[in-house]
Amino acid sequence: MSENRFTPLKDRHEALGASFTDFGGWMMPVRYTSDLAEHKAVRESAGLFDISHMAEFIVDGAGSAAYLDYALAGRLSAMAVGKAKYSLLLAEDGGIIDDLIVYRMADERFLIISNAGNHDAVAAALPERAADFDVEISDISDDVALIAIQGPESVAILEPMTSLVITGTPLAESAYYTWTEGDFGEVPVFIARTGYTGEDGFELLVPNSAAGELWDAVLAAGADRGLVPAGLAARDTLRLEAGMPLYGHELSRETVPSQSGLGRVVVAAKESFVGKEGLAARDITDAPVLIALSVEGRRAGRAGYGVFQGETQVGEITSGALSPTLGYPIAMALVHPSAAEATDLTIDVRGTRIPATITTLPFYRRNS
């Protein structure tokens, strides 16, 4: 049996009083104080997350752009240097192996960040698809740490830091889904304006050796602006409010992108890519589709709770919670297509049927 792993920030988390939870074999902070306080801090000021359990891969070589067009569902060759793009790694039959973000670092160099729990599957699939391309794929997951600062105060916290020198595009001028670069002392920092909370923010990639000092420096810089360390519990309610899918909940090896509202991510016009033929052959006429639900009151549906139309179960909640920002329960659910526009759905919350209303995603959208 393999032992649980810790990130390079373990000591910092323990000193801050974090509670830990097992996430894909990693012991990660689930909260430091309270889920609600950490969630609220991200919406109103800023939160600092350790996401060093994520997996990172570098794709190098003259054939890297063409390779990624073949290996992934999107057209990564069309992405400019400095940009980032959300994409999917599909199986031959069109099922989703993982969702990930690709950053174009140079004409022939890309960074891929994928989910921690799918590291092994991604690490196996990427090289398998490289045989016909001039590329080199490096798994750097064990060498780097990833820290995310999320919230409306993110720019105001990072920009005045004297220890973080931005050498690329200034943070305030960086657009969403782009990246810039800087130095933290002698250490280079890759800084992406991306995130998983629905708020403005940045993700900072550094060598493991610099993670602790960078974590301390960002926390100190944000102390007067309401920055707090935030755990996975707050991260989950934030991403649910933002309508962002979570692998293992809305996405899985058994689902194809269109079921989860991600059909736009697949560029079917590409001549070939892994999963193209499988998607074309798949009959999804009766396959469950993702919907968004809102519920009155305070009793929230959770993942696995049934969705009913009359006495017939038509689906299952994939993610659900009492929204800290909105003040009422919200959920995403996979339901039979015939129920995707129903007006008489209920959810079963521990034996009680509660009326649920279909709504649109995201549940929460920040002011830009």
Side-chain angles (χ1 to χ4, degrees), residues 14 42 44 56 71 87 105 120 142 150 169 184 192 209 233 254 258 264 286 297 301 317 345:
E14 289 177 340
V42 174
E44 297 180 356
E56 294 88 6
S87 195
M105 304 176 76
D120 292 351
D142 289 341
Q150 296 280 294
T169 305
F184 181 66
S209 59
E254 286 70 42
S258 60
R264 68 188 185 284
D286 292 326
I317 290 176
L345 297 181

Side-chain angles (χ1 to χ4, degrees), residues 5-11 13 26-28 50 52-53:
R5 303 181 64 186
F6 288 89
T7 76
L9 296 169
K10 175 189 175 188
D11 292 347
H13 301 322
W26 291 81
M27 293 304 292
M28 299 298 297
D50 176 12
S52 301
H53 59 319

